[in-house]
Amino acid sequence: MDNVKEAAAAKGNASGGGAPAAAGAAAAGGLRGVVAASSSIGDVNGEQGILIYQGYDIHELAEHSTFEEVVFLLWNGRLPKREELEGLKREIGECYDVPKEIVDLIRSFPKEVDPMDTLRTAVSALGMYTESPHDISREAAVKTATRLTAQFPVLVAALERIRKGQEPVAPKPELSIATNFLYMLRGEMPQEREARIFDVCLILHADHELNASTFTARVVAGTLADVYASVTAALAALSGPLHGGANTNVMKMLLEIGDVAKAEGFVANALAEKKKIMGIGHAVYKTEDPRATHLRRFSQEVGERGGDTRWYEISRKIEEYMLREKGMYPNVDFFSASTYYMMGIPLDLFTPIFAVSRISGWTGHILEQYANNKLIRPRAEYVGPRGLKYTPIEQR
Ligand code: COA
């Protein structure tokens, strides 16, 4: 109800001339609680810890679905029939090949750059190697969404191998996105269970309503810029440490702690120094993030399979401490960090992997924005001075 009131207030403000108090409060608070779009793609109930995609609870999808099926769901608003799913998988398989010019572009980058910068630049350039990149009709935009969803994992695996001085591994069109990614990254087929865990990780990260990067994508799409432009902007938003970058920082923290016995002391010191504990807290969830429920299990399982549960155990100690002392819960990044690390994925690929999944949600929102577009143009509350007189430069 409060959301609706704030939304209504913000709406009224936008059409008015002045700088209203409610808008100022929203801006100061990072737009918390402000409803800025209507969407049927995903919904977050922060009080009860419920996440749904197009009406389906995330737990249902994590249990029974596949990433490709979720991609169809996000773009079409319903689960696919068998032949529709097969059709989408075939189209994704046909789109796996990245233009040679893009692979050469990645080869030309310095080896030490952040993979998110590489991915963002490569995706921006991808639009130059396709016919009619600016066509935003539903049919063309779905094709672009399919192409980007197929090529994100290929780009991430390729950039990793290129920076290590290895040749990229060619994707296999018959493999799922999750299996293909692990295969291309390592040059050998992953175990079935590991590929399934990764597949569920992709499902869990696919959409999260109007998070910062999705909102960015919608703002850009709202200007009727093309899908490549909207997704490039979303990638930029995702790269920040308060958004997609948090999972990498979680693992850095776990490595710094290194020992279960040191976990509580580390967190107590960090809090005393007013530092934030990465992977903890959420702008919307005030209880357990439902995605963390699955990732906690995966962190434990992957640890047990590899014979080393240290990272899981340190994470548990931090989680317990933060809940006990601050009443705060882990978010999606907290246990995905140790899960990916124990799968042998380099730390700075965690955020690109987030993007490999979230491209499905971004493009779902972009399609939705195009279908019922209105330029997104809020107001700012002006808090600066007025009526100043110009002073010549030599008199300042
Ligand atoms: N560790 C310690 N304290 C935290 C915290 C964390 N991870 N997250 C929030 N807090 C504290 C803040 O310091 C603040 O305390 P104060 O009122 O005494 O100043 C209070 O909780 C509210 O914090 P705020 O940043 O306003 O909460 P928010 O709901 O707006 O922010 C996040 C949500 C996600 C930005 C925030 O929890 C955070 O920075 N978490 C770590 C980064 C992260 O994991 N990001 C991924 C999100 S999926």
Side-chain angles (χ1 to χ4, degrees):
M1 212 42 197
D2 284 343
N3 285 357
V4 178
K5 272 192 212 147
E6 281 203 62
K11 219 173 159 192
N13 294 335
S15 57
L31 300 180
R32 294 294 185 280
V34 174
V35 175
S38 300
S39 175
S40 69
I41 294 176
D43 186 41
V44 179
N45 181 325
E47 297 304 320
Q48 292 175 32
I50 298 171
L51 169 62
I52 59 171
Y53 296 168
Q54 301 276 16
Y56 293 91
D57 194 292
I58 192 68
H59 298 308
E60 282 274 305
L61 296 169
E63 185 82 15
H64 304 293
S65 192
T66 62
F67 180 57
E68 283 77 0
E69 197 174 40
V70 166
V71 169
F72 186 100
L73 174 68
L74 293 174
W75 294 350
N76 297 285
R78 60 177 175 83
L79 288 171
K81 296 183 199 303
R82 186 177 298 279
E83 62 275 16
E84 289 173 324
L85 181 58
E86 290 313 315
L88 177 63
K89 284 190 197 162
R90 202 174 43 248
E91 280 165 30
I92 288 173
E94 286 166 5
C95 287
Y96 275 149
D97 280 333
V98 167
K100 182 183 171 304
E101 290 85 349
I102 299 296
V103 178
D104 288 344
L105 180 69
I106 295 175
R107 285 189 211 279
S108 75
F109 295 153
K111 295 274 176 289
E112 62 283 357
V113 297
D114 188 318
M116 278 302 279
D117 297 343
T118 307
L119 181 63
R120 190 193 65 240
T121 310
V123 168
S124 180
L126 258 186
M128 300 173 194
Y129 299 94
T130 184
E131 273 174 41
S132 337
H134 302 316
D135 186 348
I136 56 167
S137 63
R138 165 90 193 173
E139 195 192 350
V142 169
K143 268 197 187 139
T144 306
T146 309
R147 183 181 190 219
L148 290 173
T149 303
Q151 296 192 358
F152 263 43
V154 182
L155 288 169
V156 175
L159 74 84
E160 168 61 12
R161 291 184 69 89
I162 288 170
R163 71 176 175 161
K164 283 200 309 203
Q166 298 171 329
E167 269 307 296
V169 172
K172 293 189 184 211
E174 69 279 13
L175 295 183
S176 71
I177 288 177
T179 308
N180 225 342
F181 175 71
L182 294 174
Y183 163 68
M184 290 183 293
L185 192 68
R186 301 167 178 166
E188 58 185 56
M189 285 291 284
Q191 289 176 357
E192 209 175 303
R193 177 63 190 153
E194 190 188 24
R196 174 59 187 159
I197 288 176
F198 192 68
D199 190 48
V200 179
C201 290
L202 296 183
I203 293 174
L204 296 173
H205 288 82
D207 186 61
H208 211 236
E209 201 219 69
L210 274 200
N211 57 88
S213 57
T214 304
F215 185 53
T216 304
R218 286 193 82 125
V219 170
V220 178
T223 70
L224 298 185
D226 67 33
V227 180
Y228 292 96
S230 308
V231 166
T232 303
L235 277 164
L238 185 71
S239 66
L242 292 187
H243 189 8
N247 50 13
T248 303
N249 289 324
V250 171
M251 197 59 228
K252 283 185 186 160
M253 173 182 72
L254 298 181
L255 289 166
E256 194 183 335
I257 296 172
D259 183 342
V260 184
K262 295 185 183 153
E264 289 203 357
F266 179 95
V267 179
N269 281 340
L271 291 180
E273 289 169 22
K274 299 268 174 240
K275 287 186 187 154
K276 279 190 174 172
I277 308 300
M278 289 294 118
I280 301 287
H282 199 274
V284 183
Y285 293 117
K286 298 304 161 216
T287 180
E288 170 141 323
D289 179 334
R291 303 166 298 176
T293 315
H294 297 270
L295 291 160
R296 183 189 291 109
R297 251 190 318 113
F298 292 157
S299 171
Q300 181 174 17
E301 181 181 336
V302 177
E304 282 168 358
R305 288 166 73 88
D308 182 4
T309 54
R310 180 168 36 143
W311 310 114
Y312 166 73
E313 284 165 30
I314 296 175
S315 305
R316 289 286 288 157
K317 277 273 178 257
I318 298 172
E319 176 188 23
E320 283 159 14
Y321 186 90
M322 288 302 286
L323 185 57
R324 194 172 67 236
E325 301 295 327
K326 303 281 284 182
M328 298 184 76
Y329 295 84
N331 59 49
V332 69
D333 294 310
F334 194 64
F335 287 103
S336 62
S338 49
T339 305
Y340 292 157
Y341 182 75
M342 291 184 287
M343 283 182 168
I345 294 171
L347 265 61
D348 58 1
L349 284 197
F350 293 3
T351 313
I353 286 173
F354 195 146
V356 165
S357 164
R358 188 56 61 85
I359 180 64
S360 59
W362 289 336
T363 45
H365 278 268
I366 292 166
L367 292 170
E368 199 180 44
Q369 184 70 34
Y370 287 153
N372 190 14
N373 190 54
K374 178 123 179 119
L375 181 78
I376 298 171
R377 203 305 189 186
R379 293 296 311 273
E381 179 193 24
Y382 179 70
V383 294
R386 292 181 193 274
L388 299 181
K389 292 283 173 255
Y390 184 81
T391 322
I393 196 162
E394 57 282 0
Q395 292 173 23
R396 288 174 215 159

